[in-house]
Amino acid sequence: MDADSDRSNRDEQETPQIPPGIILEISDKFTPLHTDAPSTWRSTLLEIQQSFRDCDHHQDKLKCVLTHSVVPEWPKRPDGPYPPEVDGMEPIAMGVGPSQWPQQLFLRSQDGREIGIAELASKLPQSYRLKMLDVSSKVELGGILYTPMVGNDTIHNVTGKPILFSSGEPVALRPGVNRNYFVHAGGAAHERITNITSFFALAARAGQCLESLPNSVNRLIWHDWPDGFRAIGDKGMWVSALFELAWQQLTESKLSANRFSWVGTTNTQIDTPPNAKQQTTANDQTDLSMFAPSEPPHWYSVIDDLVGSSIAAVDLLLAAEG
């Protein structure tokens, strides 16, 4: 077992648990920087890549639209989106991408000294949805006192109502993320079924491989998700990884995609790609009370060729190791 794995086990053993009284829901979590890579991961990826190449010779292109919404979803998500890239094609499959529940922000203090701002759940090995604590509530975990923070900006719930403490002050929250993807195909119905079945069979194998890659490779794919995200299916892992790599528009690869906000059929490219989340860490000393998201609350992105993008993605992953 390598040093990173030793550190992972030690962190999980030393991390204090959240009191059960404030836990609403628990789910499994994928933590990209705490994986163990088997010696066969490269050969497995190469085999999968060759299968994608064989698949590419005999099927029409599958296109994929991914949508991203800040949680709570306010302003309400507009109808659509309506990307022109999929005009004339049929939606034939859908799935979920990385997501996170919103998290309340706390001021951390120890021995009467402020030591930073953090969430309660970001470093834990599972994903938690937590009850919101009032401004007068405090939680002690592992000798560190967590005090709820008042926000500089007001975040609204899904009905547009401001999220406030009993005192009427705004709750400091790190908004959550919700992502979904929709695969589109052209051609006759039987061809669409054949194409999506063959792609998803390979995407499931590739997604399983993603769950045990070296840290250096995971840092390339999931650099916006260092604390991880709620576990998703194998196919969703692979499709999401394609988008994460495509948004980086790395010069050594043809794999690229842009992001667009939308209102009706009007799509506006986002010039500065937004981060998946505003990162907070246990040692963060910066002022995170300015936590309202700067990106549009809803945006989408399109990959024009899932199979061709999969071939290009494997090349990036193999080059990233070491």
Side-chain angles (χ1 to χ4, degrees):
M1 185 176 291
D2 60 23
D4 285 331
S5 299
D6 288 337
R7 184 169 60 253
S8 169
N9 292 336
R10 190 165 56 250
D11 288 345
E12 291 186 14
Q13 293 169 1
E14 295 175 356
T15 300
Q17 295 300 304
I18 294 174
I22 64 172
I23 294 174
L24 299 178
E25 191 172 349
I26 304 174
S27 68
D28 291 334
K29 182 179 180 180
F30 171 66
T31 308
L33 301 185
H34 290 164
T35 60
D36 292 321
S39 59
T40 58
W41 72 270
R42 294 181 65 90
S43 59
T44 300
L45 275 179
L46 285 168
E47 178 187 345
I48 292 171
Q49 184 185 52
Q50 185 56 52
S51 297
F52 276 122
R53 286 197 176 102
D54 295 339
C55 178
D56 193 38
H57 292 314
H58 58 78
Q59 75 169 40
D60 292 333
K61 289 182 179 179
L62 295 171
K63 298 190 178 186
C64 189
V65 180
L66 179 142
T67 62
H68 170 114
S69 291
V70 173
V71 180
E73 291 194 5
W74 186 264
K76 294 177 64 175
R77 173 175 159 162
D79 291 337
Y82 305 100
E85 294 92 335
V86 298
D87 285 349
M89 305 181 80
E90 295 291 331
I92 57 172
M94 63 178 293
V96 297
S99 62
Q100 290 178 324
W101 284 303
Q103 294 291 333
Q104 188 172 1
L105 296 180
F106 295 82
L107 181 65
R108 300 166 68 244
S109 58
Q110 190 171 29
D111 300 326
R113 180 175 58 89
E114 295 181 2
I115 57 176
I117 299 167
E119 309 162 11
L120 289 181
S122 63
K123 295 299 182 182
L124 298 180
Q126 290 178 298
S127 182
Y128 292 84
R129 185 165 71 94
L130 303 175
K131 183 187 301 182
M132 190 184 71
L133 300 183
D134 197 46
V135 68
S136 60
S137 303
K138 295 182 181 181
V139 177
E140 186 172 353
L141 297 175
I144 297 177
L145 189 65
Y146 291 80
T147 303
M149 293 178 57
V150 173
N152 289 351
D153 297 299
T154 301
I155 291 181
H156 297 77
N157 65 17
V158 294
T159 67
K161 183 179 179 180
I163 301 175
L164 306 173
F165 289 117
S166 60
S167 62
E169 298 172 293
V171 178
L173 288 172
R174 188 267 299 155
V177 171
N178 185 38
R179 286 182 180 173
N180 295 275
Y181 67 86
F182 307 85
V183 181
H184 295 251
H190 70 280
E191 293 173 334
R192 297 198 296 267
I193 293 173
T194 299
N195 290 346
I196 191 61
T197 300
S198 61
F199 171 76
F200 271 166
L202 293 175
R205 290 173 55 198
Q208 292 171 9
C209 189
L210 289 183
E211 295 177 3
S212 54
L213 292 179
N215 284 352
S216 57
V217 184
N218 279 327
R219 287 189 183 96
L220 174 68
I221 308 172
W222 309 113
H223 65 91
D224 280 338
W225 302 88
D227 292 335
F229 48 84
R230 295 208 304 272
I232 55 180
D234 298 329
K235 297 185 288 292
M237 284 284 287
W238 184 248
V239 172
S240 298
L242 294 182
F243 278 99
E244 295 287 346
L245 293 168
W247 293 327
Q248 298 178 49
Q249 301 191 15
L250 300 170
T251 56
E252 63 269 29
S253 174
K254 296 180 180 179
L255 178 57
S256 67
N258 294 313
R259 304 183 233 203
F260 299 84
S261 61
W262 80 93
V263 176
T265 57
T266 301
N267 306 314
T268 304
Q269 184 172 340
I270 300 170
D271 293 328
T272 302
N275 290 325
K277 64 186 285 283
Q278 292 190 350
Q279 176 64 17
T280 61
T281 69
N283 297 317
D284 203 338
Q285 299 295 327
T286 59
D287 180 6
L288 297 178
S289 58
M290 298 296 292
F291 44 80
S294 57
E295 70 267 17
H298 310 285
W299 50 266
Y300 79 89
S301 185
V302 179
I303 283 182
D304 280 328
D305 180 1
L306 281 174
V307 174
S309 295
S310 296
I311 296 170
V314 173
D315 285 333
L316 287 174
L317 300 184
L318 294 174
E321 197 272 330

